Amino acid sequence: MSIYELSRTRYDQSKRYLAGGVASSLRAAMKPVPLFAESAEGAVVRDVDGNAYIDYLLGYGPLILGHAYGPVNEKVYAAMQRGITFGLQHQGEIELAKLLTEVLPCADKAVLSGSGTEAVMLALRLARAYTGRSKIIRFHGHYHGWSDSIYTSFPSADMPSASASAATTGAVPPGTAGQSELSLHDVILLPWNDQAALEAALAEHEGEIAAVISEPVMCNSGCIVPRPGYLEFMRKATADRGIVLILDEVITGFRLGLGGAHGRFGIKPDLVTIGKAMGGGFAVSGVAGRAELMALIENGTVSHLGTLNGNCVATAAALATIGELAKDDGAAYVKMEKNASKLTAGLRTLLGKHGIRGVVNEIGPVFHFMFTEQPVVEDFASFNLRDSAKYALFAERMLDAGVLVRPNGLWYVSAAHGDAEIEATLDAADRVLGGLR
């Protein structure tokens, strides 16, 4: 009998009622079967079959403090007792917005929403309204949510329907069937980390571009950091042309430090989108930035809607999570980065031990592990040369060994991971890599 027998049964049952059997398309890619969780605590998640896994998926990023973190749960529970949502204003909104303006270097004001996709939608709307222009520059391999106006084909091992042609054609392929033919008409898709390509596009479309939207680190596609001077050029080139610079920090925000990646790199965008780690596992996101842009919401020029925006649970979770991350001068970040470095160093050593070619790109407590013949992976084209099938097999065998990792190679380390989890993970990786040669 399979050790995933009950998960298989639940999956078959789920498909009778839930389209695709999963609540998010990403989850369908898990092999040998999408797992059904029973419970989790700290760095460990348990499935319905009773199997326990050291978790580096971390809910696709939000669980920066680990599962079922007591201090956050306590404050959320206390907020729930007073009322979950009112459709009215409450103190938590003020406190969270104030905190965001204090910790995010670019934030004069902030607004709250429910998901990263919603935050990006609002940021793009603000940029277009502010500039009176329509075109948006975005980059290959970046992910900005799944709304029609920005979702393009996104090659990835856990997004199997996407077309790899997006890396080279320069076209703007839709991310899914059902998108309007006109939805991406105003999107200009460029290679990232390529200053010359960006400069040429800005010159060609002078006076037409409302915004440049970019992840400050290309997390989903290789955890690739910006080349020296690239973000600085992006900032100056957009400012000189009156273009709104949006840094999408739904992944990097509160994961690379309280000030996000833009604080870490010393770049001040006009707008930043945040989510995931901000809520510690609860659904909350936001947009923060310059007062002149936020004024468009204040005066009613731009609509910002959402029944559950700034609800009591979301604000309590975000306040508690950020508060925990800020304790002891950010001790949680020191711990996470130390453990992530220990883990990535160990994985590189194991690649050498077993004679397997691979790359581990790391920044802070997030890294991308890939099998590739390329000595370095510094752009999307190089990333697409990885052996994604081999890594998917590695992820499946790591699951058998008691370690849960995302099939596309992106790993998150939380404050709940410690020496015992790192050592057990490396021991499992040693056994699995030994069988991949």
Side-chain angles (χ1 to χ4, degrees):
M1 180 180 290
S2 167
I3 63 171
Y4 311 112
E5 192 64 31
L6 193 50
S7 274
R8 290 186 187 279
T9 300
R10 294 278 176 90
Y11 185 46
D12 290 339
Q13 182 184 31
S14 179
K15 287 189 288 186
R16 294 167 56 191
Y17 311 105
L18 185 65
V22 293
S24 172
S25 299
L26 285 180
R27 302 175 198 169
M30 180 173 282
K31 303 295 183 184
V33 65
L35 286 186
F36 279 71
E38 180 69 26
S39 65
E41 184 177 4
V44 175
V45 63
R46 295 171 181 81
D47 68 16
V48 292
D49 287 283
N51 304 307
Y53 310 93
I54 302 170
D55 183 13
Y56 296 97
L57 180 70
L58 293 179
Y60 291 89
L63 298 166
I64 193 164
L65 297 172
H67 292 275
Y69 189 74
V72 173
N73 288 352
E74 289 167 10
K75 291 187 178 180
V76 167
Y77 181 73
M80 290 172 64
Q81 303 312 297
R82 297 189 294 271
I84 294 171
T85 189
F86 303 120
L88 301 170
Q89 310 319 119
H90 62 97
Q91 185 65 24
E93 292 175 306
I94 300 174
E95 293 177 7
L96 180 54
K98 179 176 182 291
L99 180 58
L100 293 176
T101 64
E102 291 169 349
V103 299
L104 298 173
C106 75
D108 294 327
K109 292 190 177 181
V111 294
L112 303 174
S113 50
S115 69
T117 291
E118 294 173 75
V120 168
M121 289 166 61
L122 176 60
L124 295 176
R125 184 174 291 177
L126 285 169
R128 286 181 165 126
Y130 184 74
T131 62
R133 306 168 187 169
S134 62
K135 292 191 180 297
I136 305 292
I137 288 180
R138 62 153 297 166
F139 301 94
H140 289 296
H142 290 211
Y143 179 65
H144 303 297
W146 57 284
S147 67
D148 277 13
S149 63
I150 201 68
Y151 183 42
T152 67
S153 184
F154 189 83
S156 171
D158 56 9
M159 301 183 80
S161 63
S163 166
S165 65
T168 56
T169 64
V172 186
T176 178
Q179 278 182 262
S180 164
E181 292 181 5
L182 300 178
S183 62
L184 299 174
H185 175 76
D186 287 325
V187 172
I188 301 165
L189 188 58
L190 299 178
W192 193 67
N193 253 345
D194 186 333
Q195 181 173 321
L198 178 57
E199 193 167 16
L202 292 172
E204 180 181 352
H205 298 279
E206 186 74 43
E208 300 177 306
I209 298 168
V212 173
I213 184 169
S214 174
E215 293 183 68
V217 177
M218 196 159 73
C219 286
N220 280 295
S221 299
C223 203
I224 296 169
V225 299
R227 290 188 173 120
Y230 180 66
L231 290 182
E232 289 80 0
F233 168 78
M234 186 184 291
R235 174 63 286 184
K236 184 177 187 307
T238 52
D240 288 348
R241 293 167 173 82
I243 296 169
V244 175
L245 176 60
I246 305 168
L247 288 186
D248 185 347
E249 294 223 48
V250 170
I251 291 180
T252 55
F254 299 102
R255 179 158 286 282
L256 299 187
L258 291 179
H262 76 281
R264 189 174 182 131
F265 294 144
I267 301 294
K268 208 167 183 180
D270 299 299
L271 294 173
V272 62
T273 58
I274 45 178
K276 286 191 185 287
M278 179 169 75
F282 290 85
V284 62
S285 68
V287 179
R290 286 171 46 205
E292 297 92 332
L293 284 142
M294 293 300 176
L296 297 174
I297 296 173
E298 295 173 4
N299 64 27
T301 301
V302 169
S303 295
H304 173 232
L305 308 172
T307 300
L308 297 177
N309 287 354
N311 69 78
C312 305
V313 171
T315 55
L319 285 165
T321 299
I322 297 170
E324 291 296 309
L325 291 170
K327 276 185 177 177
D328 302 322
D329 294 322
Y333 289 108
V334 175
K335 177 185 177 183
M336 285 188 289
E337 296 205 17
K338 177 183 175 183
N339 284 327
S341 293
K342 180 178 179 181
L343 181 53
T344 55
L347 289 171
R348 293 185 188 105
T349 297
L350 291 174
L351 287 171
K353 172 183 175 180
H354 295 290
I356 297 173
R357 298 290 296 276
V359 167
V360 184
N361 282 345
E362 172 194 2
I363 181 168
V366 58
F367 64 90
H368 209 122
F369 180 25
M370 65 202 90
F371 299 119
T372 178
E373 295 298 314
Q374 307 299 307
V376 294
V377 175
E378 295 180 338
D379 53 46
F380 190 52
S382 298
F383 173 72
N384 277 325
L385 297 176
R386 76 198 187 284
D387 190 338
S388 58
K390 186 174 183 177
Y391 186 86
L393 177 60
F394 169 81
E396 183 176 347
R397 292 185 180 177
M398 286 292 281
L399 194 68
D400 291 341
V403 180
L404 175 60
V405 298
R406 187 172 168 179
N408 82 333
L410 186 62
W411 295 47
Y412 295 103
V413 174
S414 77
H417 289 89
D419 289 339
E421 288 80 16
I422 302 303
E423 290 170 9
T425 300
L426 291 173
D427 182 61
D430 192 9
R431 298 194 307 272
V432 170
L433 290 170
L436 286 182
R437 289 180 294 180

